[in-house]
Amino acid sequence: MWAMSVRLLTVCTGNICRSPYAQLALQHALDTVRPGGFEVTSAGTQALIGNVVDGGSAGILTSRGIASDTFAARQISEQIMGDVDIALPLEVSHRKIVLSYSPRHLKRAYTLKEFARLLDAAGEREPWTTRLAGLSTVEERWAALPAHLARERGLNRVPDGVDDIADPYRQPQEVFDRMAAEVDAAIERIVAFERQFD
């Protein structure tokens, strides 16, 4: 049974740089188009449990008016995965770990970049408004998405590394800025998908 909101989980290694940035930025963006429709959380495969968002990511969020002060890193677990509709890891290697905790997420785990790329590719093949015609709620739409994206994944192979977003941990600020730009580009496409159904 689906909850009243679609539950998304972003995943990286330490859960202090990439996945909290993706979590908070995606939540912020989805709230602008579908308030209350989504609940975005995050976890790490080797989480620095209890840590705050790394300064490199927090600074970018703050500059956009997105608060990160209540965030605390947490370790991915079977229990966390039990509450997730779609997992959005930041690297293909994280996806494998996600599936080790929850094999049933096979068609419901995509790297963030892959998810955005497949949304676009599938939409070009057949408009989403046609594909998902008759599904009026956000929950119904997102419950139907994985079947379409899993098919698209088979038609849309890309070279290794294309769908990964590099880890900026302990790197200069420009590496954080690059990471944020890649995450933002994917978020823009996810939000554009949802906006079609206004």
Side-chain angles (χ1 to χ4, degrees):
M1 184 66 196
W2 281 61
M4 286 309 288
S5 55
V6 176
R7 294 161 305 183
L8 307 177
L9 178 78
T10 63
V11 182
C12 70
T13 307
N15 193 210
I16 60 166
C17 299
R18 289 171 290 178
S19 56
Y21 179 83
Q23 169 197 336
L24 296 166
L26 181 57
Q27 182 77 67
H28 181 76
L30 287 169
D31 283 347
T32 63
V33 67
R34 199 74 65 225
F38 294 88
E39 182 193 347
V40 190
T41 56
S42 66
T45 57
Q46 297 169 38
L48 298 166
I49 297 168
N51 280 30
V52 298
V53 180
D54 185 285
S57 294
I60 303 168
L61 290 164
T62 302
S63 72
R64 297 192 185 157
I66 303 172
S68 61
D69 50 343
T70 59
F71 181 86
R74 60 182 189 155
Q75 174 67 24
I76 192 170
S77 65
E78 284 175 29
Q79 189 180 356
I80 285 173
M81 288 306 303
D83 286 335
V84 171
D85 297 314
I86 295 177
L88 299 170
L90 278 291
E91 280 180 39
V92 171
S93 62
H94 299 135
R95 180 175 178 266
K96 292 177 179 142
I97 296 167
V98 165
L99 294 177
S100 74
Y101 282 99
S102 182
R104 69 188 179 82
H105 276 79
L106 184 64
K107 291 183 176 175
R108 295 191 289 135
Y110 300 83
T111 76
L112 184 71
K113 279 177 83 168
E114 178 188 30
F115 189 76
R117 180 172 63 74
L118 295 179
L119 280 176
D120 280 1
E124 281 164 24
R125 210 181 294 280
E126 183 189 359
W128 281 109
T129 46
T130 307
R131 284 175 181 261
L132 304 180
L135 303 180
S136 57
T137 70
V138 63
E139 294 83 15
E140 288 172 330
R141 278 198 297 280
W142 283 68
L145 260 186
H148 292 272
L149 296 184
R151 270 199 301 279
E152 197 60 39
R153 181 187 261 156
L155 299 167
N156 236 295
R157 303 275 176 215
V158 294
D160 287 351
V162 167
D163 288 329
D164 290 346
I165 294 178
D167 190 355
Y169 184 55
R170 292 187 169 161
Q171 299 287 319
Q173 184 61 41
E174 64 253 26
V175 185
F176 280 90
D177 294 343
R178 201 157 52 237
M179 174 275 293
E182 286 189 77
V183 170
D184 292 343
I187 288 174
E188 220 167 272
R189 289 149 82 180
I190 293 167
V191 170
F193 161 78
E194 187 53 40
R195 194 171 275 127
Q196 301 172 84
F197 300 97
D198 282 353

